[in-house]
Amino acid sequence: MIQFIKIDEHSRVPKYKQIVDSIIFNISIGNLKIDQKIPSINRFSEDFYISRDTVEKAYNILKEREIISSIKGKGYYITGTKLVSKLNILFLINKLSTYKMTIYNSFVNSIGTNSNTDLQIYHCDESLFLNLLDKNKNNYDYYVIMPHFKTNDSRHVSFTTEIIDAIKQIPKEKLIVLDNIKLALDNDIIEIYQDFENDIYNALIEGLPKINNYDKLILVYPEKAVYPYPRRILSGFKKFCGEHSISFEILNEVYDDMVIKKGDLFITIEESDLVNLVKIIRDSKLTLGKDIGIISYNDTPLKELLGITVISTDFKVMGETASFMILNKEKGKVKVPFNFIDRNSI
């Protein structure tokens, strides 16, 4: 093996990392095979005139990644070859939606080609989520999680005791929490999030000059849904209306025979409610953006194409920020921008 390993004395890359990278590279191109014995720490240290501590540090990293293993009395052996030259990432999302995929695609494009990202969807189901974590424990370098779950009566919940216990089994340096951070975890992890209550509140304040042109503000919030939404959205909406003396109503859905009136301004969350509302407006003699207004929650390319005003997190930034922090080994909390985007529907 010694003939394949390259150590550059003049490089700014630490020698232990050069050892790790060189062994991984030689496995990836076939110079080193699974079950092949490699030099002892002392032999490696002597052949390359490198301190024993440096070689030991490199070997410990390779053992943690399950690339090599030690057998007492026999030495060190290559034990893993699958994608060892790449970062292996498990990406867990609660649903397959346009904006969730925007986050995922942005993350994959930003993390680069030297990675393998496996996407899994757990459909807000606690049992499925726990099974996926248990099945894949110790298999990945990073675990990216969007924690949104539902109760037995289809209401939103951020976590349960079982979910917290399972997530805490993931080493802190491998954990990235996206979108919803109401998990009460320690701070020494990556957290990139929306602030659901204050985001909708501040976005509506940004749109207040136009909102004031309408008589009533109506939030269509699905109280129970297959993929439920945080109730903090409701809190921020009520806070905004109360502080600005705005007449409001909260509906569970847009009904096919719903009565709409001139001066109504709707905020829709689900795509189906947006579609039904646009159909009702088209069938009426009222004009969208003048007599009736629509603000949609969470932007998509289709809403942009149709000219629908939105209040939305920048999902592309969320994915990019996660990849940047992984690549630069940063920790901490980052709040993603949430914007009022004015178009033709208000």
Side-chain angles (χ1 to χ4, degrees):
M1 188 189 80
I2 297 297
Q3 63 180 313
F4 299 125
I5 302 301
K6 305 297 180 186
I7 306 295
D8 184 354
E9 292 287 341
H10 305 291
S11 174
R12 298 297 187 270
V13 177
K15 288 186 175 64
Y16 77 87
K17 191 173 189 314
Q18 291 190 52
I19 296 170
V20 170
D21 292 344
S22 189
I23 289 176
I24 288 174
F25 173 74
N26 279 284
I27 293 173
S28 69
I29 64 174
N31 286 338
L32 302 178
K33 309 291 185 181
I34 194 166
D35 294 329
Q36 180 177 342
K37 188 175 181 180
I38 63 174
S40 68
I41 292 174
N42 287 335
R43 170 72 187 277
F44 199 111
S45 173
E46 292 169 2
D47 285 353
F48 281 94
Y49 304 100
I50 295 173
S51 75
R52 190 183 187 284
D53 288 346
T54 298
V55 181
E56 186 175 19
K57 185 174 183 179
Y59 275 31
N60 284 338
I61 291 172
L62 291 166
K63 286 171 67 177
E64 287 176 5
R65 296 186 185 180
E66 299 181 352
I67 295 168
I68 68 171
S69 62
S70 59
I71 300 176
K72 191 173 182 179
K74 292 188 175 182
Y76 292 89
Y77 293 82
I78 303 292
T79 54
T81 60
K82 183 182 177 182
L83 294 171
V84 292
S85 62
K86 295 187 175 186
L87 287 177
N88 289 301
I89 303 165
L90 180 62
F91 205 98
L92 280 170
I93 64 175
N94 61 302
K95 65 178 178 179
L96 196 61
S97 65
T98 301
Y99 47 93
K100 298 287 183 178
M101 290 308 298
T102 298
I103 299 172
Y104 171 75
N105 290 328
S106 173
F107 176 85
V108 170
N109 290 335
S110 301
I111 200 72
T113 56
N114 195 37
S115 66
N116 178 70
T117 303
D118 291 336
L119 177 66
Q120 295 282 351
I121 301 120
Y122 63 91
H123 303 288
C124 295
D125 184 278
E126 177 182 354
S127 296
L128 180 55
F129 176 84
L130 294 174
N131 287 337
L132 285 169
L133 274 191
D134 183 63
K135 178 183 176 182
N136 292 289
K137 62 184 178 182
N138 303 321
N139 291 342
Y140 291 90
D141 299 302
Y142 292 98
Y143 295 79
V144 182
I145 296 169
M146 294 188 201
H148 292 280
F149 302 91
K150 59 183 175 183
T151 61
N152 290 333
D153 61 350
S154 298
R155 297 175 187 271
H156 182 275
V157 63
S158 297
F159 60 89
T160 64
T161 302
E162 290 77 11
I163 290 166
I164 291 292
D165 290 343
I167 291 176
K168 284 185 175 179
Q169 298 305 308
I170 302 172
K172 292 180 183 179
E173 66 273 11
K174 294 185 175 185
L175 179 60
I176 299 92
V177 179
L178 293 188
D179 199 34
N180 179 22
I181 63 169
K182 292 290 184 178
L183 294 174
L185 297 173
D186 295 331
N187 289 327
D188 194 24
I189 62 173
I190 297 174
E191 295 178 291
I192 304 160
Y193 68 101
Q194 300 186 62
D195 181 351
F196 292 96
E197 180 173 344
N198 290 316
D199 279 347
I200 188 171
Y201 173 82
N202 291 325
L204 292 177
I205 286 179
E206 189 178 345
L208 186 60
K210 285 202 166 183
I211 291 172
N212 278 332
N213 293 328
Y214 292 85
D215 300 324
K216 191 172 189 178
L217 187 56
I218 302 161
L219 173 64
V220 185
Y221 176 88
E223 189 67 30
K224 298 180 180 181
V226 176
Y227 302 110
Y229 297 88
R231 294 187 64 82
R232 284 164 279 159
I233 295 172
L234 280 177
S235 300
F237 173 77
K238 291 177 181 178
K239 178 182 175 182
F240 167 78
C241 293
E243 290 186 3
H244 295 89
S245 301
I246 292 175
S247 176
F248 73 92
E249 185 175 357
I250 298 172
L251 302 178
N252 187 56
E253 63 178 298
V254 172
Y255 305 95
D256 292 336
D257 56 352
M258 187 174 68
V259 177
I260 59 174
K261 298 180 181 180
K262 183 178 180 179
D264 287 345
L265 172 57
F266 290 85
I267 300 176
T268 62
I269 297 179
E270 294 215 322
E271 298 281 320
S272 57
D273 287 320
L274 174 61
V275 171
N276 288 340
L277 183 58
V278 170
K279 287 180 179 177
I280 292 170
I281 293 171
R282 285 179 176 174
D283 291 340
S284 72
K285 295 181 180 180
L286 301 174
T287 302
L288 177 62
K290 181 179 178 182
D291 303 320
I292 295 283
I294 295 178
I295 300 173
S296 187
Y297 195 91
N298 291 333
D299 199 14
T300 66
L302 183 58
K303 292 174 187 178
E304 181 180 6
L305 181 65
L306 297 176
I308 302 296
T309 297
V310 296
I311 49 176
S312 180
T313 288
D314 193 324
F315 297 107
K316 186 171 182 289
V317 167
M318 187 178 290
E320 289 173 345
T321 304
S323 65
F324 177 86
M325 294 181 76
I326 288 173
L327 293 173
N328 289 278
K329 300 191 180 301
E330 295 185 5
K331 304 295 179 186
K333 294 183 179 181
V334 177
K335 185 192 172 306
V336 180
F338 192 94
N339 304 307
F340 174 86
I341 304 175
D342 188 12
R343 295 185 179 130
N344 301 327
S345 64
I346 182 174

